[in-house]
Amino acid sequence: MNRSYFYLEMKTHELEVPYTSQKRRVRVLLPKNYEEESERSYPVVYFHDGQNVLYSKEAFSGHSWKVIPVIKRNPDIARVIVVAIDNDGPARMNEYSAWRYQESNIPGMQFGGKGIEYAEFVMGVVKPFIDQTYRTKSDRKHTAMIGSSLGGNITQFMGIEYQDQIGCLGVFSSANWLHQAAFDRYLERKELLADQRVYIYVGTEEADETDKTLMAGNIKQAYIDSSLSYYRKLLSKGLALENIAIDICSGAIHNEEAWAQYLPTCLRFLGENW
């Protein structure tokens, strides 16, 4: 077997975030034979929570999305450029929420509202840099975005706000119940492009310790209800049925190990027309 198949080159960049003036690590995983096939350009898949995407040793839960093994073990999946954008640690909950959240069980705890600025950073700084630096297919059809939990929230928001530039979404275990009413009002005001492809994933045993501080009641059901609401609203706004896929996974909990199992399914669906 050709050993070059197993070699994937990684590039690391530090890009300045305009609203903090701090550098943010953005890593780029290039497809096999990227240097040799110098005339070929590639779709791009952007991931939020970059620390959790590539290596388990640096992932929050101790288990990453296993993107590199997924690419190696599934040669039928379209070759892509993977862009992993690190989260900002303590500011993650602010950046991945486009709306403020103030209904926590913890007195005085509030977060969110920086999502619009974070989205502007991704689309105004990161994407142009990637398109200028690498051989990308920069059009919306070949631009995908994937996120989980609050990363799923910001993926949903950006998938609407920047639908003219992002044609494919992977929304895993979105915590959109945190600001469901605000998101629903926002979505209701928007016209959607019917050809956007959206993959939705949710487990039946979602919820972690942080969630329990943010909401009373059945959080597991809240995750399912929110994902189903998103699915129905996309259909009602005109997305074609064949462009939306949803997996509701029995027994699946809220972590990267669960999400990694369905990443190949997501990538196959999003890349069906690449």
Side-chain angles (χ1 to χ4, degrees):
M1 183 174 290
N2 184 358
R3 290 182 60 84
S4 68
Y5 172 75
F6 293 98
Y7 178 72
L8 298 171
E9 188 174 5
M10 178 85 67
K11 304 284 190 179
T12 300
H13 304 282
E14 299 284 338
L15 303 182
E16 184 170 312
V17 181
Y19 51 90
T20 66
S21 299
Q22 301 294 312
K23 297 288 188 179
R24 184 71 58 89
R25 185 177 64 167
V26 176
R27 286 175 292 179
V28 179
L29 184 67
L30 296 173
K32 66 170 183 174
N33 299 330
Y34 177 85
E35 298 297 342
E36 291 83 351
E37 298 178 7
S38 58
E39 300 301 313
R40 182 170 178 172
S41 57
Y42 300 88
V44 183
V45 181
Y46 293 87
F47 280 85
H48 305 294
D49 285 316
Q51 296 96 323
N52 301 335
V53 171
L54 297 162
Y55 304 114
S56 293
K57 64 185 178 183
E58 65 178 25
F60 177 77
S61 69
H63 192 289
S64 80
W65 281 78
K66 303 286 189 184
V67 168
I68 295 172
V70 164
I71 290 171
K72 290 179 177 178
R73 294 170 184 166
N74 298 278
D76 63 298
I77 294 175
R79 279 194 267 173
V80 300
I81 294 172
V82 172
V83 179
I85 307 166
D86 278 8
N87 65 50
D88 194 24
R92 174 182 181 271
M93 295 176 78
N94 290 327
E95 285 194 339
Y96 288 179
S97 304
W99 298 275
R100 292 193 68 75
Y101 180 76
Q102 298 173 295
E103 298 176 18
S104 169
N105 296 331
I106 301 175
M109 180 175 178
Q110 51 185 279
F111 67 86
K114 284 286 185 182
I116 294 172
E117 290 174 278
Y118 171 75
E120 290 172 349
F121 162 64
V122 174
M123 302 307 293
V125 177
V126 179
K127 187 179 188 301
F129 173 81
I130 297 299
D131 289 335
Q132 291 162 16
T133 308
Y134 299 98
R135 299 193 310 274
T136 67
K137 293 182 177 179
S138 60
D139 60 299
R140 64 184 295 272
K141 176 181 176 181
H142 296 95
T143 300
M145 182 167 288
I146 295 177
S148 60
S149 194
L150 277 171
N153 292 33
I154 199 64
T155 297
Q156 287 171 281
F157 169 73
M158 292 179 66
I160 299 168
E161 188 69 16
Y162 293 93
Q163 60 181 311
D164 60 328
Q165 297 179 64
I166 306 169
C168 302
L169 305 176
V171 178
F172 285 75
S173 303
S174 170
N176 217 24
W177 48 266
L178 284 165
H179 42 231
Q180 192 70 55
F183 177 79
D184 289 348
R185 288 192 298 269
Y186 166 74
L187 178 54
E188 192 56 40
R189 296 195 305 268
K190 297 290 185 176
E191 295 294 326
L192 298 187
L193 297 171
D195 62 341
Q196 191 175 54
R197 291 182 74 80
V198 182
Y199 175 84
I200 305 166
Y201 165 100
V202 66
T204 61
E205 300 296 320
E206 303 275 2
D208 57 22
E209 292 305 311
T210 301
D211 292 334
K212 294 171 186 175
T213 70
L214 300 174
M215 174 188 167
N218 190 337
I219 303 173
K220 297 175 184 177
Q221 191 63 49
Y223 273 102
I224 297 169
D225 290 347
S226 186
S227 293
L228 289 173
S229 171
Y230 179 49
Y231 177 78
R232 288 193 300 265
K233 283 182 167 57
L234 291 178
L235 286 174
S236 70
K237 296 292 286 186
L239 260 72
L241 181 62
E242 61 268 23
N243 286 337
I244 314 174
I246 185 167
D247 279 321
I248 302 173
C249 302
S250 177
I253 62 174
H254 193 82
N255 63 20
E256 283 75 16
E257 188 170 6
W259 302 325
Q261 293 181 32
Y262 281 80
L263 180 57
T265 303
C266 172
L267 291 174
R268 286 189 183 96
F269 177 74
L270 298 184
E272 205 167 272
N273 300 319
W274 289 346

